[in-house]
Amino acid sequence: MSEAFMGSGRLPAAFMSPGTSSFVDFLSQVSPDRLPNLAGLPSDGSPAHLTPEATTIVALVFSGGVVLAGDRRATSGNVIANRDMDKLFRTDEFSAVAIAGAAGIGIELAKLFQVELEHYEKREGRPLSLEGKANRLATMIRSNLGLAMQGFVVVPLLVGYDTARGEGRIFSYDPVGGCYEEHRYHSIGSGSVYAKGALKKLYRDDLTETDAALAALQALYDAADDDSATGGPDLHRKIYPLVDVITEDGHRRMSAEEVESLAQTVVAGRAERPDGPTAPVR
Amino acid sequence: MPFYVSPEQIMKDKADYARKGIARGRSAVVLQYDGGILFVADNMSRTLHKISELYDRVAFAAVGRYNEFENLRLAGVRFADMHGYTYDRSDVTGQMLANAYAQTLGAVFTESSKPWEVEIVVGEVGDSPDTDQIYRITFDGSVVDEHDFLAMGGSAERVTAALRERYVKNMSLTEALRVAVHGLAHENGERRELQAASLEVAVLERSRPHRKFRRIQGDRLVRMLEEAGAADETAAEQTPEDGGATDGV
């Protein structure tokens, strides 16, 4: 049992005070050592090699929702640290977060954000608005600035279905905690420049859910094609990108079979045309 | 003039005080059904809840003084979230929460002059009905491990008796709701009509992914109550025949 409960076994006074609706604030009062914060770290030399990083995440909205997709590779320098990593996190019924940057800190941040949203929902009896979620994540990143300056940069991408507006939305962040709403599509991570180029050409306003997932896989293929830190579809090991879809019905992770068949389509297409689908010149 | 009151008398007075406080409020019932655990409370308010989610598989129901059980609910949510974040989501259990509540209520009962006028239930839905856990924790910190069904608050004994009449293991959700409403309608000896607006209903649904807790409200609750009501009428029509047959035997 945690330190806070040592002794009498009864719930400590801090637990019974009305206090805040924020789990992070509560934890920082009661047990700050549990928060991902390595503030006391020596600043000489970059400790960034301590955690694997790099990735490509893409997100695009379609009529009725939003698709979030990520490759599976984690790298440590020029070594592939992990081939089947999961960088997408369902944070609640109508939102998901993907992370790029320092993996160790990023995963912790996503997990903490998930608890934060749930905690608020349970306390207040209703979930935060999508803007509220986006702003809350910005604050959490900002409080990580010290870590970012030591090389543990984490940049998340938040996607969600806005139940008030009835549409999918995408929010991107910078390491300082700036929050920017992206329109239609966005990509983060080391291969994002290539992925964004692909999305720019493939994006249409009338994409269906499957089209959107396919466009995301095409963009990830292009990112993996040109960025060594992004993993492409691994046909032999059957490791394919992960795809999350959020609609009015909530969050759904596409099944492995579904993604496999879409990925096979992309790979088969590339066998014909290695540079992928093209947009009309005029 | 020095005077002495025995510890027995102090405890007895406190217990009487708490019981009286709890008996002033309306009841709540908890029942196992084939797909999980059903919580129903007689509650006019749509915003001040007697039933709520504590964690993925764990829910909370309470009767008594709102500010006191809300305090406990809040502490439970914090406790569960903190434990789940520190270790793993699967490490948060109903038993752990029940123990924390029992210790807290026990300490309040013995240490402070005014005991808390609350009775609470912590329910955890398992992978099968055998692994469901329901704990009832009373104002003095005692814990009872319950099965099938239970009632607390107002006139819990009458409600329990009404539940016992009709409860069957592995009922469907609609049937369980029917039994629960039948039980709550027997409170205070009177027979009341309970409408959707005065009921707070929630379930821990075994088959639900991620978080098992779900409120049943609005149109869905009205529909379910209508179904249950229809079943009730059929049952009422059959009862005289059944009664006749029994008399004949």
Side-chain angles (χ1 to χ4, degrees):
Chain A
M1 188 56 51
S2 47
E3 302 86 297
F5 300 97
M6 294 289 208
S8 70
R10 67 182 278 190
L11 292 158
F15 280 63
M16 311 288 274
S17 71
T20 158
S21 290
S22 164
F23 178 71
V24 176
D25 292 353
F26 173 70
L27 203 56
S28 63
Q29 284 162 20
V30 178
S31 186
D33 52 311
R34 288 172 211 225
L35 288 168
N37 183 1
L38 314 174
L41 223 59
S43 59
D44 49 330
S46 168
H49 65 276
L50 291 175
T51 177
E53 58 180 309
T55 193
T56 302
I57 303 291
V58 298
L60 61 162
V61 298
F62 62 95
S63 53
V66 58
V67 160
L68 179 68
D71 77 309
R72 310 292 294 272
R73 181 174 289 180
T75 54
S76 194
N78 59 354
V79 170
I80 295 173
N82 195 321
R83 293 176 201 283
D84 59 355
M85 198 178 137
D86 184 354
K87 305 159 184 174
L88 314 184
F89 301 87
R90 174 195 189 276
T91 41
D92 71 3
E93 185 91 38
F94 292 109
S95 69
V97 157
I99 47 142
I105 308 290
I107 292 169
E108 204 58 26
L109 185 75
K111 207 173 119 187
L112 187 60
F113 183 59
Q114 180 191 13
V115 183
E116 179 77 2
L117 297 189
E118 252 169 44
H119 192 78
Y120 184 94
E121 189 184 328
K122 286 189 281 193
R123 274 210 53 171
E124 301 297 323
R126 64 178 176 82
L128 273 168
S129 65
L130 191 54
E131 270 92 359
K133 293 175 196 173
N135 288 332
R136 190 64 202 132
L137 185 54
T139 319
M140 288 170 66
I141 296 165
R142 201 168 302 128
S143 69
N144 247 14
L145 187 59
L147 278 174
M149 292 182 66
Q150 292 173 40
F152 294 105
V153 179
V154 179
V155 202
L157 188 67
L158 170 71
V159 301
Y161 181 81
D162 190 328
T163 46
R165 289 205 211 169
E167 62 183 17
R169 295 170 73 185
I170 302 169
F171 296 88
S172 73
Y173 296 86
D174 64 26
V176 190
C179 171
Y180 315 94
E181 178 161 12
E182 303 290 342
H183 294 285
R184 306 193 295 177
Y185 58 84
H186 193 65
S187 174
I188 57 166
S190 56
S192 61
V193 279
Y194 311 107
K196 236 184 278 182
L199 285 176
K200 188 185 278 183
K201 302 293 181 206
L202 295 176
Y203 190 84
R204 302 282 180 277
D205 284 327
D206 57 353
L207 293 176
T208 64
E209 182 183 314
T210 313
D211 290 344
L214 211 47
L217 294 181
Q218 294 279 14
L220 285 178
Y221 191 103
D222 282 329
D225 214 12
D226 286 312
D227 172 36
S228 63
T230 301
D234 191 338
L235 300 178
H236 307 299
R237 294 189 183 85
K238 294 195 179 300
I239 300 171
Y240 300 101
L242 293 173
V243 183
D244 286 2
V245 184
I246 308 176
T247 63
E248 196 183 10
D249 298 329
H251 176 280
R252 176 175 80 94
R253 165 143 308 172
M254 278 196 164
S255 71
E257 296 74 33
E258 237 176 314
V259 179
E260 179 171 5
S261 110
L262 292 178
Q264 301 275 14
T265 312
V266 172
V267 173
R270 298 291 171 128
E272 302 285 320
R273 304 188 59 160
D275 293 332
T278 53
V281 176
R282 125 191 352 256
Chain B
M1 182 184 95
F3 77 106
Y4 171 81
V5 184
S6 72
E8 287 93 336
Q9 191 56 44
I10 293 173
M11 291 304 168
K12 190 177 170 300
D13 288 351
K14 281 189 192 179
D16 287 346
Y17 176 85
R19 270 193 212 100
K20 266 186 208 155
I22 295 165
R24 270 197 290 274
R26 297 267 184 208
S27 299
V29 298
V30 183
L31 295 91
Q32 285 181 272
Y33 70 100
D34 61 0
I37 305 173
L38 169 70
F39 300 81
V40 184
D42 194 345
N43 185 0
M44 294 299 289
S45 171
R46 285 199 296 166
T47 45
L48 304 176
H49 296 303
K50 289 184 178 179
I51 303 166
S52 79
E53 173 187 14
L54 285 181
Y55 209 64
D56 294 358
R57 311 175 142 265
V58 190
F60 171 96
V63 292
R65 274 179 82 100
Y66 179 78
N67 70 321
E68 289 172 354
F69 68 69
E70 174 63 11
N71 216 324
L72 288 170
R73 184 189 77 92
L74 165 62
V77 167
R78 283 173 168 167
F79 176 91
D81 278 344
M82 187 159 150
H83 199 81
Y85 176 68
T86 308
Y87 301 100
D88 185 74
R89 298 193 78 89
S90 61
D91 292 317
V92 176
T93 63
Q95 191 196 6
M96 164 198 295
L97 282 153
N99 282 333
Y101 282 141
Q103 296 292 344
T104 307
L105 281 171
V108 169
F109 185 76
T110 45
E111 287 163 19
S112 67
S113 53
K114 182 202 142 341
W116 281 9
E117 300 148 65
V118 293
E119 188 166 340
I120 60 178
V121 159
V122 173
E124 177 183 352
V125 69
D127 294 327
S128 68
D130 314 339
T131 51
D132 286 350
Q133 295 166 37
I134 301 173
Y135 302 98
R136 175 212 293 259
I137 304 120
T138 47
F139 56 85
D140 59 355
S142 38
V143 194
V144 186
D145 182 3
E146 302 271 4
H147 297 283
D148 300 334
F149 63 89
L150 72 92
M152 55 180 179
S155 44
E157 280 163 28
R158 279 208 196 85
V159 180
T160 308
L163 289 177
R164 191 174 295 123
E165 272 172 34
R166 297 205 177 177
Y167 182 83
V168 199
K169 272 188 190 285
N170 293 321
M171 285 182 293
S172 72
L173 180 55
T174 318
E175 283 167 29
L177 182 61
R178 181 162 76 101
V179 172
V181 172
H182 171 79
L184 288 175
H186 279 73
E187 195 161 9
N188 302 329
E190 67 200 74
R191 212 186 134 83
R192 300 186 305 127
E193 281 288 310
L194 286 167
Q195 305 294 331
S198 65
L199 288 176
E200 183 183 354
V201 182
V203 283
L204 281 172
E205 209 170 87
R206 209 184 309 287
S207 60
R208 199 173 159 79
H210 306 293
R211 292 153 72 187
K212 314 279 185 193
F213 183 82
R214 189 161 60 104
R215 289 189 188 283
I216 300 177
Q217 50 198 0
D219 293 343
R220 184 150 184 264
L221 178 58
V222 173
R223 264 202 317 277
M224 277 184 67
L225 284 172
E226 277 167 9
E227 278 175 46
D232 246 352
E233 278 170 27
T234 327
E237 281 165 22
Q238 283 167 355
T239 316
E241 291 167 26
D242 293 347
T246 318
D247 284 346
V249 175

